[in-house]
Amino acid sequence: AQSVAQPEDQVNVAEGNPLTVKCTYSVSGNPYLFWYVQYPNRGLQFLLKYITGDNLVKGSYGFEAEFNKSQTSFHLKKPSALVSDSALYFCAVRDLRNTGGFKTIFGAGTRLFVKA
Amino acid sequence: DTAVSQTPKYLVTQMGNDKSIKCEQNLGHDTMYWYKQDSKKFLKIMFSYNNKELIINETVPNRFSPKSPDKAHLNLHINSLELGDSAVYFCASSHQDRGTDTQYFGPGTRLTVL
């Protein structure tokens, strides 16, 4: 079965500094990987995804993620953090089910706190 | 226009009651989901419907019954509510036939069982 792990419960970074939110995955076959963001009292919002192609994927709000097959990682990055980036970030992997269709498996989430 | 909407946003009720949450999407997606997010923010899938057919039914108590009257709607009915049902319930939709399964989430329904 596919799985994702987010090793950090919380990441703290100063505004203007680069940020990284870590994600590692375990899949059989080619991975379909996603990052979602959840702001307080809101639903999750799609940020970006990796399916195939370039290892560096660009997404919304200036975020990008780097797919690294040898390290089975898909870390989320941003060159310069904003206070408004403070939120809960979820890494996810698509699991192809034997009975057909897909199920998305979400990591436990990492809370990003950007200090002014 | 709200892409995925849920009603109600908040639901406070007594143990033992029956309640429903409604979800609608106007994105033309073929698949809809119910997720439960607990107090630690873990997100767990409960059900998924593809073209009105139930395709995912995780280990959820029988007290939870989803219903999809058409592709744009997925409702969740909960019987005999228990304290442990308190959580935020999210509806989501995607276009699985396009292969990537990017999901769009509703704003959530915060259920509090007293």
Side-chain angles (χ1 to χ4, degrees):
Chain A
Q2 328 283 45
S3 65
V4 290
Q6 294 180 244
E8 302 153 317
D9 289 337
Q10 182 164 314
V11 169
N12 299 311
V13 65
E15 189 174 33
N17 283 0
L19 70 87
T20 298
V21 182
K22 294 180 181 176
C23 173
T24 58
Y25 65 89
S26 173
V27 304
S28 51
N30 295 322
Y32 281 32
L33 296 159
F34 303 81
W35 276 102
Y36 289 83
V37 60
Q38 185 179 24
Y39 297 102
N41 301 314
R42 304 283 293 276
L44 278 69
Q45 292 178 36
F46 167 74
L47 272 181
L48 51 81
K49 66 186 173 192
Y50 172 83
I51 299 172
T52 187
D54 273 344
N55 290 341
L56 187 64
V57 180
K58 293 191 184 295
S60 308
Y61 312 122
F63 283 92
E64 56 191 28
E66 187 169 8
F67 171 68
N68 188 317
K69 190 171 184 177
S70 62
Q71 296 185 6
T72 61
S73 66
F74 189 55
H75 300 333
L76 182 69
K77 301 183 180 188
K78 187 173 182 181
S80 178
L82 300 172
V83 172
S84 57
D85 292 330
S86 299
L88 187 58
Y89 290 81
F90 289 94
C91 183
V93 64
R94 193 191 75 172
D95 185 9
L96 183 59
R97 303 171 68 242
N98 292 336
T99 52
F102 313 119
K103 181 172 76 172
T104 299
I105 297 170
F106 288 85
T110 298
R111 191 167 297 283
L112 173 66
F113 181 68
V114 181
K115 188 175 177 182
Chain B
D1 281 347
T2 304
V4 182
S5 59
Q6 293 179 230
T7 53
K9 191 166 173 62
Y10 299 97
L11 191 49
V12 181
T13 188
Q14 300 285 335
M15 267 196 329
N17 284 352
D18 304 339
K19 290 293 178 187
S20 291
I21 308 172
K22 294 187 176 182
C23 177
E24 177 181 1
Q25 55 96 2
N26 62 7
L27 297 167
H29 287 164
D30 59 7
T31 306
M32 296 184 72
Y33 312 81
W34 278 112
Y35 287 90
K36 179 180 180 180
Q37 186 174 46
D38 63 22
S39 57
K40 293 185 178 178
K41 306 298 183 185
F42 291 126
L43 198 65
K44 190 168 171 10
I45 190 164
M46 300 172 70
F47 301 103
S48 174
Y49 273 74
N50 177 260
N51 289 315
K52 299 198 300 172
E53 182 184 343
L54 181 66
I55 59 170
I56 293 175
N57 184 351
E58 294 293 289
T59 49
V60 177
N62 290 340
R63 299 181 294 103
F64 290 80
S65 52
K67 277 203 174 71
S68 181
D70 56 56
K71 286 200 298 186
H73 296 85
L74 180 62
N75 304 323
L76 183 65
H77 187 76
I78 316 170
N79 289 326
S80 303
L81 278 154
E82 300 178 358
L83 293 176
D85 298 332
S86 295
V88 181
Y89 292 84
F90 287 101
C91 177
S93 72
S94 72
H95 212 308
Q96 286 209 0
D97 288 349
R98 291 195 187 145
T100 60
D101 199 34
T102 299
Q103 296 189 22
Y104 294 80
F105 284 77
T109 296
R110 184 175 294 275
L111 172 64
T112 303
V113 183
L114 303 174

